[in-house]
């Protein structure tokens, strides 16, 4: 028996359109802080072609910021690869959280669509799934829009990098923080999220102080998930 859910072409396009529309505000922000990354990349000597390849093959904003920050001669490929790997470990948690959205779809479709998963369209998709239910094409439509917006921002910033020496002077770098603060609040479901969120925050802050690199991202995420799991286990045990 096939593990794919049959869906009409019209439904696919409708879902992709809805996903893209839902991500328009985030795409506008992606152009802004993508431009910041582009400016920083130009100052580091990253070429337009290299940035283009990074966008298409990696498409991971936070990892690209770290990669550009480490871009200097001599370039330590192993150190860069390890930093990117550690940061992107959070996609294990993101992928697991998308299981209800991908339920019944084939492995190749999951692999293809996961490449276009960013923090933004993931958060929008999860919020939509909780409200009305949705499918991977909603996620995919948002991902395509974000990839286009992100590429416009990073490549435009890279080309204009020589004209903007201090992007922080115009508070452009704050767009990245503002977007993720808004995304975080959109996922808040009430008091039940309090302990897992608090656990994740505390673990991330402590890890950032004690451990080198970006391990605090993974430790905070996994720790918060474990706290939520323990709470759910205790709740079920009381029944």
């Amino acid at each position: 028996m096939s593990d794919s859910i049959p869906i009409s072409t019209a439904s696919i396009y409708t879902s992709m359109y809805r996903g893209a529309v839902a991500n328009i505000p985030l795409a506008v922000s992606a152009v802004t802080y993508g431009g910041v990354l582009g400016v920083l990349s130009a100052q580091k000597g990253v070429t337009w072609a290299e940035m283009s390849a990074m966008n298409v093959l990696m498409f991971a904003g936070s990892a690209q910021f770290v990669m550009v920050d480490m871009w200097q001669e001599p370039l330590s490929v192993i150190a860069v690869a390890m930093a990117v790997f550690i940061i992107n470990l959070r996609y294990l948690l993101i992928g697991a959280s998308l299981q209800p959205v991908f339920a019944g779809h084939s492995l190749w479709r999951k692999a293809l669509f996961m490449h276009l998963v960013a923090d933004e369209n993931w958060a929008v998709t999860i919020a939509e799934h909780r409200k009305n239910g949705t499918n991977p094409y909603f996620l995919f439509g948002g991902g395509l829009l974000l990839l286009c917006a992100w590429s416009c921002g990073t490549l435009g910033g890279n080309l204009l990098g020589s004209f903007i020496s201090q992007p922080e002077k115009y508070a452009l770098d704050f767009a990245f923080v503002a977007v993720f603060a808004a995304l975080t609040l959109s996922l808040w479901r009430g008091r039940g999220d309090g302990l897992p969120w608090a656990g994740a925050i505390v673990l991330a802050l402590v890890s950032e102080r004690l451990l080198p690199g970006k391990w605090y991202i993974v430790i905070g995420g996994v720790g918060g998930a474990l706290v939520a799991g323990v709470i759910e286990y205790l709740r079920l045990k009381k029944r």
Side-chain angles (χ1 to χ4, degrees), residues 6-187:
I7 182 171
S8 68
T9 302
S11 295
I12 290 175
Y13 288 134
T14 299
S15 295
M16 290 177 61
Y17 174 78
R18 288 179 57 244
V21 169
N23 280 273
I24 287 176
L26 299 172
V28 174
S29 298
V31 172
T32 303
Y33 57 78
V36 175
L37 175 62
V39 171
L40 296 175
S41 70
Q43 295 171 357
K44 286 281 189 171
V46 179
T47 67
W48 191 87
E50 289 168 338
M51 179 54 66
S52 298
M54 200 184 299
N55 289 338
V56 175
L57 299 177
M58 184 182 297
F59 186 46
S62 54
Q64 287 180 240
F65 267 101
V66 170
M67 190 172 182
V68 166
D69 184 58
M70 300 176 68
W71 197 282
Q72 57 187 7
E73 294 293 341
L75 183 64
S76 176
V77 176
I78 295 178
V80 170
M82 282 300 299
V84 170
F85 173 75
I86 291 170
I87 291 174
N88 284 342
L89 279 175
R90 74 187 190 283
Y91 280 100
L92 292 175
L93 298 175
I94 288 175
S97 70
L98 287 170
Q99 191 278 329
V101 178
F102 281 112
H105 289 270
S106 62
L107 179 60
W108 72 264
R109 187 172 294 156
K110 295 175 184 177
L112 174 64
F113 288 5
M114 276 301 296
H115 181 64
L116 287 181
V117 172
D119 299 277
E120 295 90 342
N121 64 323
W122 163 76
V124 170
T125 300
I126 291 296
E128 177 66 17
H129 188 72
R130 288 173 179 171
K131 293 178 182 177
N132 308 309
T134 189
N135 58 55
Y137 297 102
F138 181 95
L139 177 76
F140 187 64
L144 284 176
L145 177 67
L146 288 171
L147 175 60
C148 292
W150 179 249
S151 296
C152 288
T154 55
L155 296 178
N158 184 271
L159 291 174
L160 297 174
S162 58
F163 300 101
I164 306 176
S165 59
Q166 295 179 305
E168 66 277 3
K169 180 179 179 181
Y170 306 99
L172 297 178
D173 53 335
F174 184 71
F176 193 74
V177 178
V179 166
F180 285 97
L183 288 175
T184 300
L185 291 176
S186 73
L187 294 175

Side-chain angles (χ1 to χ4, degrees), residues 93 189 192-204 216-232:
L93 298 175
R189 293 179 295 180
D193 285 339
L195 281 177
W197 284 33
I201 292 170
V202 171
L203 287 171
Y216 63 91
I217 297 175
V218 180
I219 293 173
V222 172
L226 289 176
V227 171
V230 170
I231 292 173
E232 181 65 14

Side-chain angles (χ1 to χ4, degrees), residues 199-212 216 219:
I201 292 170
V202 171
L203 287 171
L205 290 174
V206 172
S207 301
E208 194 274 335
R209 291 280 184 177
L210 300 179
L211 298 176
Y216 63 91
I219 293 173

